[in-house]
Amino acid sequence: MKPLLAPSILSADFANLEKDIKAAEKGGADYFHLDIMDGHFVPNISYGPMIAKTMKRITDVPLDAHLMITKPREYIPKFIDAGVELIYPHIEASYDVYRTVQLIKDLGGKAGITLNPGTPVSHVMPLLDLLDSVLLMSVCPGFGGQSYIEPVTGKITELRALLDEQKPEVRIAVDGGVKKDNIASIRRAGADFFIAGSAVFKADNIEQEVRKLKALLDTA
Ligand code: DX5
Ligand code: ZN
């Protein structure tokens, strides 16, 4: 599967959001990643569906929303209405996660599920018939700018093998600490959807940084 790069706007300059988004878009961003935090599931608060509506006014690049919130089902319809294409709730957030993922599909979205670094990859198997993508967190969620947790690379390899047996078209996304010096090895382990926040938006030249990360993916 063609590797996709999704810059996370959490690290963008919100005083110059449109400028940052346009630069990443010019560099070839495949998605923009929206980190939704409620101060309960993670110890940080970010933004809600309004940011998706704002992004839709700025760019035609598709959006994915990573829901770090305890009540995903209450907000999924709002994110779909706001134009988000792909939604990643957390498997750890609710006891009835099957219904959560089902709701995304019923509303016409692409369904993802997110696993924290300590959650075994086998936990996604009962959801597989509904899933388009599995997001493996490579940091503990809540903040940008943390370091990649190395053992997650083994989880990518393990999950790729499981998916190849049962539903090979499901993508593997990786989020947290993705940088120029590790993106190629994460790709080789079997990931194909790369979320990068600080690597893109803290760079001096955002457009060029997106190009460099994409070139590393293409030659990995
Ligand atoms: C962390 C978020 C990430 C974050 C990634 O909770 O889910 O998407 O923005 O930031 P970097 O790439 O800086 O680790
Ligand atoms: Zn994220």
Side-chain angles (χ1 to χ4, degrees):
M1 264 180 290
K2 182 181 168 294
L4 302 175
L5 183 71
S8 163
I9 67 163
L10 190 65
S11 294
D13 174 3
F14 274 72
N16 292 288
L17 185 62
E18 184 167 14
K19 186 168 145 266
D20 279 12
I21 296 309
K22 286 293 167 200
E25 186 180 316
K26 255 180 126 186
D30 297 293
Y31 270 81
F32 283 111
H33 180 82
L34 309 179
D35 285 304
I36 312 301
M37 306 179 185
D38 66 355
H40 293 277
F41 185 72
V42 289
N44 195 8
I45 298 177
S46 58
Y47 29 71
M50 209 182 81
I51 194 71
K53 282 192 185 152
T54 305
M55 288 291 290
K56 292 304 280 184
R57 285 169 41 214
I58 298 176
T59 180
D60 291 328
V61 172
L63 307 176
D64 77 279
H66 172 196
L67 304 185
M68 289 164 270
I69 63 179
T70 50
K71 293 183 176 170
R73 272 210 306 283
E74 286 184 21
Y75 297 93
I76 284 166
K78 296 184 172 71
F79 284 103
I80 296 272
D81 282 350
V84 172
E85 179 178 299
L86 164 62
I87 303 195
Y88 288 111
H90 264 262
I91 202 165
E92 302 86 1
S94 46
Y95 73 95
D96 48 0
V97 66
Y98 195 90
R99 282 179 61 209
T100 304
V101 178
Q102 181 78 65
L103 177 63
I104 302 171
K105 296 306 279 185
D106 288 349
L107 296 175
K110 287 189 184 166
I113 194 74
T114 311
L115 274 63
N116 274 337
T119 302
V121 295
S122 58
H123 288 198
V124 305
M125 299 320 275
L127 306 170
L128 213 51
D129 58 328
L130 297 172
L131 291 177
D132 296 293
S133 187
V134 178
L135 168 52
L136 297 179
M137 287 307 298
S138 41
V139 298
C140 292
F143 300 91
Q146 304 181 74
S147 300
Y148 182 86
I149 296 173
E150 284 299 334
V152 173
T153 303
K155 289 178 71 179
I156 299 168
T157 312
E158 191 190 344
L159 179 60
R160 192 67 265 165
L162 284 173
L163 294 174
D164 283 349
E165 268 175 31
Q166 300 201 32
K167 197 175 172 191
E169 67 273 26
V170 174
R171 285 190 176 270
I172 299 181
V174 176
D175 185 8
V178 174
K179 308 265 178 239
K180 281 200 295 271
D181 63 2
N182 61 13
I183 196 166
S185 63
I186 300 169
R187 168 69 178 150
R188 288 193 293 270
D192 47 62
F193 190 107
F194 299 82
I195 295 151
S198 48
V200 169
F201 288 111
K202 301 293 182 208
D204 292 334
N205 185 327
I206 292 169
E207 178 186 339
Q208 208 177 78
E209 204 63 19
V210 171
R211 272 188 219 291
K212 281 184 192 164
L213 288 164
K214 291 202 62 165
L216 285 164
L217 287 174
D218 288 339
T219 55

